[in-house]
Amino acid sequence: MKIIAVNAGSSSLKFQLLEMPSEAIITSGVIERIGFSDSVFTIKVNGDKKRSVKSIKNHSVAVQIVLDALIDMKIVKSYEEISGVGHRVVHGGEKFNDSVLITDGVLNEIEQLKDLAPLHNPANATGIKAFQEILPNVKQVAVFDTAFHQTMPKESYLYPTPFAWYKKHGVRRYGFHGTSHKYVAQRTIDLLGKEIDNSKVITVHIGNGGSITAVKNGKSIDTSMGFTPLAGIMMGTRSGDIDPSILPYVMEKEDWSIEEAISQLNQESGLKGVSLKSSDMRDIVDGVNKGDEHCITALNLFAKRVSDVIGSYYITLGGCDAIVFTAGIGENSKVARKAIIDRLGALGILLDEEANQVRGEERLISTPESKIKVYVIPTNEEVMIARDTLRLLK
Ligand code: AMP
């Protein structure tokens, strides 16, 4: 059975076609710059990337182009071969604690949640509608980034702000990257060979955005992102947690509006803001190797922010069987991983320097003497989306 996993952004549409239940990837691709005259369509076929540039005016046209390409390239004979479409949806609020089959009511709820995720949910809804229009008889499933974190206890999800903020306006920690945290946590528990009901795992998803989750018995009990993805650890361009009183202070000094100040925290902070160089960990490591003071500070600050949260989740979980690194930095940067693990000596964690050379592959990177196992596990949100879609089709 063939299932498409879709991640629709405001001007992009990423997709992967999977054979289920074997989880084999048949093809994948992306359309970028939807709505511009020079939209770019890239599709991988038999290991080769095919790229074309043309005007793709909206998501419906983008979906049509993807499906036509599948037929032209003889990947499928007809649309009938597609049994289901799974969509990544960023915000499910408190309403969705699991993936769901998309009905008119569900689509409406996703659109209503735009207050909480103004950049993402409308784009996700556009992607859903485009597939509904072109494949009206194919079942569609929504897989929410927030759903995995709905198991957090009150003391993890509530802020110590007036209770009315939560009651009236939904101000609470939601957490994000849930699909990724769930995937790597499940995989880690498999690798540990432990019963899920007796497992404690800390999942460290560090890419351009980043978050850390405390996973007890397979369930999220705390996570570092909050009401929005701006919270938590230091990221590529996002500050993570800061003292909120800094905002009115700099706004007054710089004569910034609240939008300008928040944009500074979203786009000009993190590795980029501190290093004065780049949001990309590769450039930071390059700078560190050349003795650039700002890059050295950025790496140290990043490692401290990440290791402090890991240490705190060790307490939250009451111990820890394994820590797992994933996403762009977690999977690829031996330097960033070492900088983080070097700060975790108090937990008896020992890094296997040789194993830590790994890039983009599943591997145990702690020594046999280490009190906590440390893994690198490439994340796979598409497989999770396809798995949930298959489960709900049944
Ligand atoms: P993601 O958001 O998960 O796609 O991660 C993207 C980020 O991963 C980039 O901005 C880089 O900071 C980081 N990254 C990717 N490849 C490498 C690498 N080989 N070494 C260090 N960092 C990397």
Side-chain angles (χ1 to χ4, degrees):
M1 167 187 301
K2 292 183 177 61
I3 286 177
I4 307 185
V6 177
N7 184 353
S10 54
S11 66
S12 68
L13 186 105
K14 277 192 209 144
F15 67 93
Q16 205 172 81
L17 180 70
L18 296 106
E19 185 63 49
M20 294 301 282
S22 75
E23 303 185 350
I25 300 168
I26 303 166
T27 181
S28 64
V30 59
I31 296 191
E32 288 160 301
R33 298 182 58 76
I34 296 172
F36 293 83
S37 57
D38 55 347
S39 319
V40 186
F41 176 33
T42 316
I43 183 165
K44 263 194 210 162
V45 210
N46 304 326
D48 284 341
K49 261 193 188 169
K50 282 198 168 179
R51 187 174 181 275
S52 55
V53 180
K54 58 182 147 194
S55 167
I56 299 176
K57 75 171 194 276
N58 58 37
H59 283 73
S60 295
V61 178
V63 170
Q64 193 70 64
I65 285 175
V66 168
L67 294 174
D68 286 349
L70 297 181
I71 291 186
D72 289 349
M73 291 172 176
K74 302 197 172 20
I75 297 167
V76 297
K77 286 200 193 78
S78 79
Y79 292 175
E80 257 102 85
E81 279 182 49
I82 295 160
S83 306
V85 184
H87 295 265
R88 176 191 183 209
V89 177
V90 165
H91 221 305
E94 285 191 323
K95 175 88 191 169
F96 299 104
N97 58 13
D98 195 2
S99 305
V100 284
L101 270 180
I102 299 174
T103 59
D104 289 349
V106 167
L107 183 57
N108 191 31
E109 299 267 8
I110 291 170
E111 289 182 315
Q112 294 295 317
L113 285 162
K114 71 174 184 308
D115 275 0
L116 295 178
L119 298 179
H120 294 104
N121 272 39
N124 302 150
T126 306
I128 293 169
K129 284 188 221 158
F131 272 94
Q132 282 180 332
E133 194 184 315
I134 295 162
L135 299 175
N137 301 320
V138 175
K139 292 219 167 84
Q140 320 247 347
V141 167
V143 180
F144 300 93
D145 262 21
T146 49
F148 182 56
H149 301 300
Q150 280 297 306
T151 45
M152 283 190 288
K154 252 192 189 146
E155 63 269 29
S156 294
Y157 74 69
L158 276 186
Y159 289 112
T161 49
F163 194 66
W165 293 14
Y166 168 62
K167 265 314 218 207
K168 280 166 70 184
H169 308 301
V171 172
R172 53 159 285 175
R173 182 189 303 283
Y174 289 99
F176 299 89
H177 298 138
T179 311
S180 172
H181 287 293
K182 187 175 176 184
Y183 175 82
V184 293
Q186 284 181 351
R187 184 71 196 131
T188 305
I189 295 164
D190 282 353
L191 291 172
L192 288 169
K194 288 202 78 155
E195 291 294 318
I196 189 163
D197 288 338
N198 182 29
S199 62
K200 294 169 181 170
V201 175
I202 299 173
T203 52
V204 183
H205 176 116
I206 39 177
N208 191 32
S211 65
I212 305 181
T213 298
V215 185
K216 190 169 187 176
N217 303 339
K219 295 191 168 77
S220 168
I221 62 163
D222 205 354
T223 194
S224 62
M225 278 181 169
F227 180 63
T228 71
L230 179 54
I233 56 173
M234 174 177 176
M235 300 171 229
T237 61
R238 284 173 245 166
S239 61
D241 291 345
I242 63 157
D243 178 345
S245 301
I246 294 169
L247 276 184
Y249 178 80
V250 286
M251 281 165 68
E252 202 202 323
K253 296 280 174 204
E254 296 281 346
D255 195 20
W256 281 334
S257 65
I258 187 73
E259 288 75 21
E260 285 167 314
I262 289 289
S263 153
Q264 289 278 319
L265 293 181
N266 268 310
Q267 272 123 43
E268 304 298 331
S269 300
L271 292 173
K272 183 179 176 191
V274 177
S275 71
L276 301 175
K277 188 171 181 184
S278 168
S279 62
D280 192 310
M281 187 55 86
R282 284 165 285 206
D283 298 329
I284 305 300
V285 170
D286 189 44
V288 169
N289 290 336
K290 290 179 179 142
D292 181 314
E293 279 302 322
H294 296 287
C295 289
I296 293 169
T297 306
L299 180 65
N300 286 337
L301 191 42
F302 181 82
K304 172 171 162 52
R305 291 275 164 151
V306 172
S307 58
D308 283 356
V309 175
I310 294 174
S312 134
Y313 287 174
Y314 179 86
I315 303 297
T316 304
L317 288 167
C320 178
D321 302 313
I323 296 169
V324 50
F325 285 95
T326 196
I329 298 174
E331 291 167 26
N332 295 300
S333 181
K334 58 184 179 190
V335 175
R337 288 191 302 251
K338 179 170 163 49
I340 294 162
I341 294 168
D342 280 353
R343 289 173 175 268
L344 293 169
L347 301 184
I349 299 176
L350 298 169
L351 180 70
D352 178 337
E353 303 267 355
E354 175 61 35
N356 186 43
Q357 302 300 310
V358 69
R359 262 197 62 192
E361 272 174 51
E362 195 170 282
R363 181 133 189 212
L364 178 71
I365 59 164
S366 52
T367 68
E369 295 76 34
S370 180
K371 290 218 176 91
I372 299 172
K373 288 197 160 80
V374 184
Y375 290 97
V376 171
I377 298 182
T379 194
N380 197 335
E381 290 165 282
E382 290 78 12
V383 148
M384 289 303 269
I385 292 173
R387 279 181 197 169
D388 276 8
T389 305
L390 178 66
R391 170 166 60 91
L392 289 163
L393 288 182
K394 284 179 173 168

